[in-house]
Amino acid sequence: MKITFKLNGENTAIEASPWKRLIDILRDDFGLKGTKGGCGRIHFDLCLVIINGKTVNSCLVPLFQLENAEVITVEGIGLIKDFPDINLIVKEVLHNKLTYRSGDIIIAVKGLFLEKNIPGEDDIIDALSGIACIGIDYQSIMDGIKRLANMKGRRRRAYIY
Ligand code: FES
């Protein structure tokens, strides 16, 4: 099956089994190793990507669902110019400390603000669900996201590119 879609801002096409998972397509066919599938292994790296403005697990998306979709991976996250920018997320949410889960958290926060202009507590919990790691201080991450949500003067409408 041949599918065309946009990947990190570039029009692209791939021919493969309609059931091939997006995570495998990204890693094997496009060499985008930033998306990781850690389930069942010692690490719990997530496979989050943004598809059409929503955060999804790329291991759950078969190729046939991608026709004309816009996919953003961690490698392309800088293409989403709208609030909050990556520097702001790193400063306010990650407190300038990068860990091996930072990519997941950045994608989760970008996806959250694409979907909700002013996310509430439940939205934030939803966005962080699945990012499980004993090394993460969830309260400080939630506090950082709330600070972002309360910032004045930011643009209200999310856009991509
Ligand atoms: S690989 Fe574990 S949720 Fe996708």
Side-chain angles (χ1 to χ4, degrees), residues 21 23 35-41 43-48 56-60 130:
R21 303 179 312 163
I23 188 171
T35 306
K36 303 180 194 310
C39 288
R41 291 185 292 156
H43 294 300
F44 293 92
D45 307 305
L46 262 192
C47 57
L48 290 183
V56 297
N57 293 88
S58 59
C59 67
L60 300 177

Side-chain angles (χ1 to χ4, degrees), residues 109-127:
V109 173
K110 290 294 280 189
L112 173 65
F113 279 91
L114 282 174
E115 288 188 54
K116 304 271 179 178
N117 281 327
I118 303 179
E121 179 130 350
D122 287 348
D123 301 317
I124 297 171
I125 291 169
D126 275 356

Side-chain angles (χ1 to χ4, degrees), residues 44 46 100-101 128-134 136 138:
F44 293 92
L46 262 192
Y100 72 95
R101 300 310 302 271
L128 296 177
S129 67
I131 304 180
C133 177
I134 55 172
I136 291 179
Y138 289 95

